[in-house]
Amino acid sequence: MSRSSGIDKSPDELRAMVRPGLVTAAALAAVLDAIAVGVTTLELDAIAEGVIRSAGGVPNFALEPGYRHTICSSINDAVVHGVPSGRMIAAGDIVSIDCGALVDGWNGDAAFSVVIPDPARPEVVARRQHLADTTERSMWAGIAAFARASNLNEVGAAVEDAIDGAGEFGIIEDFTGHGIGRSMHEAPDVFNYRVRGAGAKVRPGLVVAIEPMVTLGTIETHVLADDWTMVTDDGSDSAHFEHSVARHVGGIWVLTAEDGGAAGLAEFGISPVPIA
Ligand code: MG
Ligand code: MG
């Protein structure tokens, strides 16, 4: 029998998580390719669904009770869980896309943020780009910490330090990363900031989604009338990056990155190792 906890997956189970990771990565790459002014978030949703289904997978977000879509599309002050709609991407938007694929019983989960060019508002674009860059770098800092960590709290500490070192930002606390495997969300929680407890032991077989959510203002959020979209209370912009990462006997491998995370981890002196 396969275990369903985020902790202690067997080598066979880790190998089974490679495909869902790559299918998730391919869906997000196709969405990134298609993002442009005038494209609706429902159109982006259809693109992601097409990639996942043609790879033999199922969009795992649509398996969440009450949710019908393949992606979450969270724009500007939306932190996470934005619902695809007829809303068109506009110049200057910061767009966060979160997506996951279930393939042969195993899950992938990943997200990115991108800032749409807007020649009329260079200062807005620069501020949002700095937010996106800082959030992405904090994710890689967290993943690098995961490669070396004895306990999971070292990940949150690394994320927090990366963000604190880059300026004035808010780290969302209402949502965290998580274990991932047969379910998209499994134990343990992965905090994006320092916590008192040491957290789970980090050892071969642990697979987690590391996903900092960062704002240019408050960390307080509320849900919109659609019952899904989480926005910042003060209307400040937000960014979100996420990868699913496996620790195995040889090292770590970023399952939702085509290159296993090599490019993102280079500045931290970590080389990802394919799961044998
Ligand atoms: Mg996600
Ligand atoms: Mg997640």
Side-chain angles (χ1 to χ4, degrees), residues 61 98-100 108-111 178 184-185 209 211 240 242:
F61 286 22
D98 195 347
C99 183
D109 185 12
H178 48 89
M184 183 167 52
H185 297 121
E211 51 174 319
H240 178 209
E242 175 177 25

Side-chain angles (χ1 to χ4, degrees), residues 239-250:
H240 178 209
F241 280 83
E242 175 177 25
H243 272 307
S244 301
V245 190
R247 178 93 168 239
H248 60 98
V249 286

Side-chain angles (χ1 to χ4, degrees), residues 166-184:
E168 281 292 307
F169 299 96
I171 303 174
I172 294 289
E173 297 180 359
D174 293 343
F175 303 94
T176 66
H178 48 89
I180 180 167
R182 287 216 174 262
S183 300
M184 183 167 52

Side-chain angles (χ1 to χ4, degrees), residues 176-271:
T176 66
H178 48 89
I180 180 167
R182 287 216 174 262
S183 300
M184 183 167 52
H185 297 121
E186 299 181 352
D189 292 333
V190 183
F191 299 101
N192 292 309
Y193 48 91
R194 258 187 194 79
V195 290
R196 243 196 292 273
K201 276 267 172 237
V202 175
R203 56 193 174 198
L206 179 62
V207 185
V208 293
I210 295 173
E211 51 174 319
M213 289 147 269
V214 180
T215 82
L216 287 175
T218 186
I219 66 168
E220 304 301 327
T221 63
H222 62 277
V223 65
L224 294 184
D226 63 13
D227 274 341
W228 284 102
T229 311
M230 301 301 304
V231 297
T232 56
D233 280 2
D234 63 359
S236 59
D237 298 322
S238 184
H240 178 209
F241 280 83
E242 175 177 25
H243 272 307
S244 301
V245 190
R247 178 93 168 239
H248 60 98
V249 286
I252 64 161
W253 186 253
V254 179
L255 296 161
T256 46
E258 198 93 42
D259 67 351
L265 289 166
E267 74 163 294
F268 300 96
I270 305 271
S271 297

